[in-house]
């Protein structure tokens, strides 16, 4: 049993909602949230798997889709847009990323995919160095995995 934020309080059959409930079994997060009207914290047992959105769904939701390392590298040219990954990104193929700070309204939906082989070269302020130097308060990065990350001093 574990606690998950952002999942609607659903019955085990995922057909009705309540202020809190226990969810058991294996369900995709989209299936759970799609059958409930309110979002609360719930306790669950079993495995929850994120349902990836398609390119058409991402575009309809106002995302710019990211399908290559070149697409990802272009994010730094407009840090106020919404982006959604459609594949894993190999950062060993991206150069000159640097310390990128998001701007108001920025959103990166990893869509369950991964950033792989990220190498971070720390500068004077190592606390402010990463995939993004700073994520401003009304920006979001969600559903993103980081694999094989190395911080170099």
């Amino acid at each position: 049993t574990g606690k998950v934020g952002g999942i609607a309080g659903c019955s085990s059959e995922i057909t009705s909602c309540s202020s809190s409930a226990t969810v058991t079994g294996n369900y995709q997060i989209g299936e759970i949230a799609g059958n409930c009207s309110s979002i609360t914290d719930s306790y669950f047992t079993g495995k929850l798997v994120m349902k990836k959105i398609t390119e058409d769904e991402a575009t309809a939701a106002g995302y710019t889709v990211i399908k290559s390392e070149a697409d990802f590298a272009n994010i730094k040219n407009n840090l106020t847009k919404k982006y959604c990954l459609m594949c894993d990104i190999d950062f060993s193929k991206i150069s000159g990323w640097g310390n990128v700070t998001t701007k108001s309204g920025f959103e990166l939906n990893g869509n369950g995919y991964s950033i792989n082989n990220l190498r971070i070269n720390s500068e004077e302020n190592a606390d402010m160095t990463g995939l993004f130097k700073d994520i401003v308060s009304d920006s979001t990065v969600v559903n993103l995995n980081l694999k094989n990350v190395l911080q170099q001093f």
Side-chain angles (χ1 to χ4, degrees):
T1 302
K3 187 173 184 181
V4 173
I7 295 177
C10 300
S11 69
S12 59
E13 296 81 30
I14 316 216
T15 56
S16 64
C17 297
S18 62
S19 60
S20 65
T22 300
V23 178
T24 58
N26 297 321
Y27 302 101
Q28 291 186 341
I29 291 172
E31 290 172 347
I32 294 172
N35 288 305
C36 297
S37 59
S38 63
I39 303 298
T40 62
D41 287 345
S42 299
Y43 285 91
F44 76 96
T45 57
K47 181 178 179 184
L48 293 174
V49 179
M50 194 201 84
K51 182 178 179 183
K52 292 180 178 171
I53 62 174
T54 67
E55 184 174 343
D56 288 341
E57 291 169 329
T59 302
Y63 288 104
T64 297
V65 297
I66 304 296
K67 299 190 289 185
S68 69
E69 287 77 13
D71 289 345
F72 194 93
N74 283 327
I75 286 176
K76 67 182 178 182
N77 296 323
N78 190 340
L79 293 164
T80 60
K81 290 178 77 173
K82 293 172 51 174
Y83 298 94
C84 185
L85 295 186
M86 293 290 127
C87 62
D88 291 335
I89 300 296
D90 183 354
F91 240 77
S92 67
K93 298 178 181 178
I94 296 176
S95 62
W97 179 253
N99 286 323
V100 176
T101 298
T102 67
K103 297 192 176 157
S104 179
F106 174 84
E107 182 179 333
L108 175 60
N109 181 344
N111 202 17
Y113 290 103
S114 299
I115 299 289
N116 300 315
N117 304 314
L118 175 61
R119 300 294 179 257
I120 300 166
N121 294 313
S122 296
E123 296 178 359
E124 291 178 17
N125 188 354
D127 292 337
M128 297 289 285
T129 304
L131 178 60
F132 296 101
K133 178 179 178 181
D134 190 20
I135 299 173
V136 298
S137 63
D138 62 345
S139 293
T140 56
V141 176
V142 297
N143 305 324
L144 180 66
N145 301 303
L146 297 175
K147 294 181 181 176
N148 194 23
V149 176
L150 175 65
Q151 184 170 11
Q152 301 168 334
F153 296 94

